[in-house]
Amino acid sequence: MKKPSKSLKKYRVELVGLVTRSNEIFEKQLSYISAGAIAVSMAFVKDITGNVATTSFKALLVAGWGFFVVTLLINLLSHIWAKNKHNKTIGEIDAGKYSRDHALRGLRQINLMNGFTVATLVLGIILIVLFMTLNL
């Protein structure tokens, strides 16, 4: 078994730190997104319309909520995926089987999922704001 180089050992330490920080950030993001989506929709219904049944364009509200749900689910899956990828890379470094190309491929997949999450969040926000604007 080939021993990891000094730079790989350093990279391994960085990955362990990244996994830890990722876990902490994920919990905050999930809480903020959930609380924000709930607060915006509740404040709108309560303070502006008083009753969602009397509003127009309810499909925008439902679609906005749907995008928030998709955001939360993809964010959760992305976090789990990233954690597994980082742990796999740590194991490969420990076993002397590290492949930079393999690690970069995993990072590209994680970035794609994160980009999709950002897109669904933005779409959800746009739809909720549009719903609010049309019902003022």
Side-chain angles (χ1 to χ4, degrees):
M1 177 169 77
K2 181 180 170 187
K3 285 192 171 193
S5 67
K6 190 174 185 177
S7 62
L8 275 180
K9 286 180 183 179
K10 181 179 176 186
Y11 180 53
R12 183 191 184 288
V13 170
E14 290 174 9
L15 284 176
V16 170
L18 180 63
V19 168
T20 301
R21 287 189 303 278
S22 176
N23 287 335
E24 293 169 6
I25 292 168
F26 169 74
E27 294 299 327
K28 288 179 186 178
Q29 287 176 339
L30 189 59
S31 296
Y32 292 154
I33 292 170
S34 297
I38 291 168
V40 166
S41 59
M42 288 179 127
F44 176 73
V45 171
K46 181 182 173 209
D47 296 339
I48 297 177
T49 67
N51 183 355
V52 75
T54 63
T55 61
S56 303
F57 307 102
K58 291 176 195 71
L60 292 174
L61 180 62
V62 172
W65 284 339
F67 277 114
F68 285 138
V69 168
V70 169
T71 298
L72 294 171
L73 293 174
I74 298 297
N75 197 10
L76 175 64
L77 293 173
S78 175
H79 172 71
I80 293 168
W81 180 269
K83 184 175 133 185
N84 289 340
K85 285 291 186 183
H86 293 317
N87 283 332
K88 185 174 182 180
T89 302
I90 290 166
E92 289 171 354
I93 291 169
D94 289 346
K97 297 178 181 179
Y98 174 75
S99 165
R100 185 173 191 276
D101 290 337
H102 185 259
L104 290 175
R105 191 173 337 125
L107 290 174
R108 282 191 296 272
Q109 292 168 343
I110 292 165
N111 287 335
L112 182 64
M113 290 177 81
N114 289 340
F116 186 75
T117 301
V118 169
T120 57
L121 178 62
V122 169
L123 286 171
I125 291 169
I126 289 170
L127 291 174
I128 296 293
V129 170
L130 185 58
F131 174 76
M132 284 192 230
T133 304
L134 292 171
N135 283 285
L136 288 177

